[in-house]
Amino acid sequence: MESGRGIFIDFDGTLCDSISLLEDAYLRFLDHFGVIGTATEFRSLIGPTVPEIVVTLKKIHCLEASVGELTQEFEHQIAAIYDRVPPMPGAVPFVQMVFTSGWKVVVVTSNSERVTKAWLEEKQLTGFIQGVFGRESVKNGKPAPDLYLKALEASGCTVSRSIAIEDSPRGAEAAIAAGLKTYVLTNEPNGSPKRAKWVKSFSEVLSEL
């Protein structure tokens, strides 16, 4: 494996096609507390960590339970979906191909490392991934660059020879702030930072490596 080259890839909505099921988890979580969620509100919450989302929802909906209790319930709802979450189209062959070509592949996510690693193992991708950095790794999550900076340091990859792949403006901002060339994988730009490149498929990223 060639030293210094890294592909830092987001998890939810980038590596795995979890967004629609995460919306179900969000709706079930609110329903548990007698609140009806909306698709618009859910979309506004894509990117932050679960504790950050819980604090926001507690404030918006005046939820009486403690942040700890709310976080536990949200985590429970989220953990229940991942056995049904498929990889994003093209994600598995992309990861296998770049690994074989000598790139280090590192997952950088606002999700928990436990959930992420379990999914990677279930999809038989663990052997192609050189590191997983989740919200437990740093104090400040995305859009702060801390997760990417920690992943870069731990993996031994250099900024100039590495790239990031994200699906949200918040994630892209984090990668750009860490100095990485950043691709946003989405069908629509959705307010992506100007310094990020919008792509519709992993094959588009592969063609530029």
Side-chain angles (χ1 to χ4, degrees):
M1 183 170 295
E2 191 172 342
S3 175
R5 294 199 309 170
I7 294 179
F8 296 83
I9 184 168
D10 175 55
F11 184 57
D12 290 298
T14 307
L15 187 59
C16 68
D17 193 3
S18 58
I19 299 302
S20 63
L21 289 170
L22 283 172
E23 183 173 0
D24 289 343
Y26 148 83
L27 292 170
R28 290 196 193 96
F29 165 77
L30 286 180
D31 181 67
H32 182 79
F33 296 99
V35 176
I36 298 175
T38 68
T40 299
E41 181 176 79
F42 170 74
R43 286 193 296 271
S44 73
L45 297 170
I46 295 175
T49 64
V50 167
E52 290 173 322
I53 291 171
V54 162
V55 169
T56 298
L57 292 176
K58 178 177 173 63
K59 181 178 180 180
I60 291 173
H61 298 293
C62 301
L63 302 177
E64 294 183 0
S66 69
V67 170
E69 291 172 322
L70 293 169
T71 300
Q72 185 176 19
E73 177 60 27
F74 210 147
E75 294 278 16
H76 171 72
Q77 296 293 347
I78 288 176
I81 72 168
Y82 276 92
D83 60 345
R84 295 181 285 134
V85 171
M88 287 291 286
V92 171
F94 174 83
V95 167
Q96 294 171 338
M97 191 172 299
V98 295
F99 173 83
T100 302
S101 298
W103 293 80
K104 290 184 178 179
V105 185
V106 180
V107 179
V108 181
T109 176
S110 295
N111 209 323
S112 75
E113 293 175 7
R114 178 184 60 81
V115 168
T116 305
K117 289 177 179 179
W119 185 89
L120 290 169
E121 183 175 357
E122 197 272 331
K123 300 303 178 187
Q124 299 183 343
L125 287 172
T126 303
F128 302 98
I129 305 296
Q130 284 68 64
V132 175
F133 296 86
R135 65 171 182 265
E136 306 94 327
S137 297
V138 295
K139 181 178 180 181
N140 300 310
K142 301 173 185 180
D146 302 30
L147 266 171
Y148 278 103
L149 292 173
K150 185 175 182 67
L152 279 161
E153 181 181 9
S155 65
C157 295
T158 58
V159 171
S160 62
R161 304 188 69 205
S162 300
I163 67 167
I165 308 174
E166 281 277 357
D167 73 309
S168 71
R170 187 183 181 98
E173 288 171 8
I176 290 169
L180 287 162
K181 181 177 181 179
T182 303
Y183 295 88
V184 178
L185 181 65
T186 177
N187 289 326
E188 298 291 341
N190 296 326
S192 301
K194 291 182 179 179
R195 288 176 58 193
K197 182 165 184 178
W198 170 39
V199 294
K200 293 184 178 181
S201 67
F202 279 102
S203 62
E204 289 186 48
V205 180
L206 196 61
S207 68
E208 297 200 9
L209 298 181

